[in-house]
Amino acid sequence: MTSSSQTSRGSWGSKIAFIFAASGSAIGLGSIWRFPLMVGLNGGAIFVFVYILAVFFIGFPVMLAELTIGRHTQRNPVGAFKAIKPGTPWKLVGYMGVLTGIFILSYYSVVAGWAFGYFYKTLFGVFRGEVTWELSDRIFSTFAANPLEVLFCLFIIIGLTTFVISKGVKGGIERWSKILMPLLFALIIFLAIRALTLTGAGEGLAFYLKPDLTKLNPKVFFFAVGQAFFSLSLGMGTMMTYGSYISKRDNLVSSAGWVCFSTTLVAFLAGIIIFPTLSATNNLQGLKVGTGLMFQVFPLIISKLPGGYLFGLLFFVLLLVAALTSTISLLEVPTAFLVDEHNWPREKAAIFVGALSFLLGIPSALSNGAVTWATQANIMMKMDLIFGNIMLAVGGLFITLFLAYSWGITRALQEISFGNKSFRLKPLWIFNIKFLAPLAIILILVFIRILTQQ
Ligand code: PHE
């Protein structure tokens, strides 16, 4: 790489700027929508417990690995593998990440579209007054089953994301998210306190925090590791791309630590809101957990706040911003790949990938009640299983193997040492990258077979 390409790339203004941008990618629907859904589907507290272990022992090491490779090569994922090991098949891991990004963007944008729909529904007063579970459930099912409305929302989300990426106005969004993300965080804490003080919150809290060991099975590990990758934006090169803009003076270890911590905290609080609200409104027992969980529950708790209308509006705007900072990071990887590796103009690349994701998102958008075959085939959850769980985990596996056995731990440690003088977790990180993370991922992927047989 020439020094001119290094200088022309630019970098985050400061370590804090990087942490905000990377947390913007990580914190989104993964923590607020997908995490409670996974908890509900996988036995409650036991999932929460395994998820936190997965973040610490697998998520954090892989994040540090991605940031290190990214900062060292200053490239998109495909270019990064090509730069370190030219002429080898390792670049296929980068290609896999690019494809995974396009597929995740497709169904992720459907859910982001729901957040947009909920924003204008709240604005128009659909949730005014006391909201019961029956009402909330009916509003969600009617909305998700309306083909034109969900496709319109999907179009808006992909359109906005494409606009931001093609115009290169990401910086503007990041400046905004520096104000809006802390606001979202404050609102979530507020809602969590409200949920905890509802009468009948205890049962939901117990479901969420008191592990039932009989519920522990391979599925829990599989989905917990998948959730760790998904929520931390790992396994497809997003963090490599973000890492490519970090300056040599900044500390990669503590940056990775902050991103993991803040994302996990938001996910944890989302669960604190959902499950106590469910038990307090007598809906925990016998609940059929589905993709609408978050959208069914948040209006309930918001309606229990004085000034619920304004809080609702604020919440869905902020959720939308959180989702957009994630869709932007998803679109950035394939766009940067086409721009850097194939010399496409940025605008053309963004529009091409955006249009492709829109088309790929249509079946998912229609799979929540709008079209019978798509709903029966459960397309959205299948896409999420394949791309959000399996492909990210496979990507993460190859990234650890690449770092440990091809590029080499010593060289990686040298890169990490810039901006970090005392890497206290070093022995643990080396052990995790070399053995624990790859072995754990291989094991859980083997368990998919067991899973599909169940
Ligand atoms: N981490 C994002 C979220 O939780 C989703 C994402 C996954 C973004 C993979 C980029 C890459 O909302």
Side-chain angles (χ1 to χ4, degrees):
M1 170 178 309
T2 63
S3 63
S4 73
S5 77
Q6 286 206 4
T7 45
S8 65
R9 250 184 108 76
S11 61
W12 309 106
S14 65
K15 181 177 146 194
I16 298 292
F18 163 76
I19 292 174
F20 265 104
S23 306
S25 163
I27 298 173
L29 299 169
S31 304
I32 302 170
W33 163 76
R34 196 178 189 274
F35 176 71
L37 176 60
M38 289 294 143
V39 174
L41 290 173
N42 292 292
I46 193 70
F47 180 87
V48 181
F49 186 69
V50 178
Y51 167 74
I52 291 174
L53 290 182
V55 167
F56 189 78
F57 287 104
I58 301 178
F60 171 75
V62 173
M63 177 158 315
L64 185 52
E66 283 203 30
L67 295 183
T68 308
I69 297 171
R71 185 171 73 176
H72 184 75
T73 58
Q74 312 231 323
R75 298 284 171 88
N76 69 81
V78 174
F81 287 105
K82 279 193 192 161
I84 296 182
K85 291 281 157 180
T88 62
W90 281 112
K91 61 174 177 293
L92 293 177
V93 182
Y95 284 115
M96 206 173 77
V98 168
L99 277 181
T100 306
I102 298 174
F103 278 96
I104 295 184
L105 179 63
S106 75
Y107 70 87
Y108 190 98
S109 301
V110 174
V111 186
W114 293 349
F116 175 62
Y118 266 57
F119 163 67
Y120 63 72
K121 281 184 195 308
T122 311
L123 186 70
F124 296 152
V126 172
F127 296 109
R128 263 183 194 279
E130 171 77 17
V131 180
T132 59
W133 169 268
E134 286 69 30
L135 177 69
S136 179
D137 183 41
R138 184 152 30 87
I139 291 173
F140 177 76
S141 339
T142 320
F143 169 53
N146 182 338
L148 281 184
E149 199 175 355
V150 285
L151 288 178
F152 165 74
C153 291
L154 171 65
F155 183 80
I156 296 288
I157 296 296
I158 296 210
L160 275 173
T161 310
T162 307
F163 178 80
V164 169
I165 289 287
S166 66
K167 294 281 176 248
V169 289
K170 246 176 81 203
I173 297 284
E174 265 136 27
R175 262 195 307 280
W176 271 98
S177 67
K178 246 185 259 174
I179 307 166
L180 296 178
M181 296 300 273
L183 203 57
L184 173 68
F185 187 66
L187 186 56
I188 285 186
I189 292 194
F190 188 63
L191 288 172
I193 295 173
R194 183 65 193 102
L196 287 175
T197 49
L198 293 174
T199 359
E203 198 195 335
L205 199 61
F207 172 79
Y208 186 56
L209 294 179
K210 249 171 100 189
D212 174 355
L213 284 176
T214 60
K215 299 245 168 75
L216 192 62
N217 62 40
K219 246 176 80 183
V220 173
F221 285 95
F222 171 74
F223 284 110
V225 171
Q227 177 61 25
F229 278 104
F230 190 94
S231 64
L232 298 170
S233 307
L234 297 174
M236 54 161 274
T238 315
M239 287 299 159
M240 257 181 230
T241 311
Y242 275 55
S244 71
Y245 300 101
I246 308 185
S247 115
K248 291 278 188 211
R249 273 171 292 135
D250 288 337
N251 187 332
L252 293 179
V253 182
S254 61
S255 301
W258 274 110
V259 178
C260 291
F261 176 72
S262 57
T263 310
T264 309
L265 187 60
V266 170
F268 183 76
L269 289 170
I272 292 273
I273 298 171
I274 301 258
F275 296 100
T277 303
L278 275 172
S279 66
T281 52
N282 290 322
N283 291 300
L284 188 63
Q285 296 297 339
L287 180 76
K288 231 179 129 274
V289 178
T291 48
L293 183 65
M294 191 223 101
F295 293 90
Q296 290 154 321
V297 177
F298 268 82
L300 299 184
I301 183 77
I302 288 169
S303 85
K304 295 205 184 303
L305 295 173
Y309 178 77
L310 286 180
F311 277 114
L313 217 48
L314 186 62
F315 174 74
F316 286 111
V317 170
L318 297 175
L319 183 68
L320 197 56
V321 173
L324 281 172
T325 50
S326 304
T327 54
I328 289 168
S329 75
L330 282 161
L331 184 58
E332 175 66 18
V333 173
T335 306
F337 159 71
L338 289 173
V339 173
D340 292 356
E341 305 298 314
H342 295 280
N343 291 321
W344 282 35
R346 194 170 177 82
E347 195 155 291
K348 178 177 158 196
I351 293 176
F352 173 75
V353 182
L356 190 61
S357 300
F358 176 76
L359 292 177
L360 291 169
I362 294 175
S364 297
L366 301 178
S367 72
N368 293 275
V371 169
T372 317
W373 74 264
T375 308
Q376 270 164 5
N378 208 355
I379 303 279
M380 188 156 101
M381 286 311 272
K382 287 224 172 79
M383 296 273 278
D384 184 54
L385 174 70
I386 297 171
F387 297 101
N389 264 291
I390 300 175
M391 292 306 276
L392 291 183
V394 173
L397 170 65
F398 282 117
I399 290 167
T400 56
L401 294 177
F402 173 77
L403 191 141
Y405 302 105
S406 178
W407 188 31
I409 291 277
T410 327
R411 286 192 205 100
L413 283 173
Q414 200 193 350
E415 179 63 48
I416 293 174
S417 74
F418 300 120
N420 179 310
K421 294 288 158 273
S422 59
F423 181 9
R424 265 177 291 140
L425 291 174
K426 186 157 92 183
L428 185 64
W429 182 72
I430 297 176
F431 176 75
N432 284 1
I433 283 289
K434 277 182 125 166
F435 308 111
L436 191 116
L439 263 179
I441 299 172
I442 290 173
L443 274 179
I444 58 150
L445 288 174
V446 169
F447 278 129
I448 300 176
R449 268 190 63 77
I450 304 176
L451 180 84
T452 45
Q453 280 163 2
Q454 269 173 3

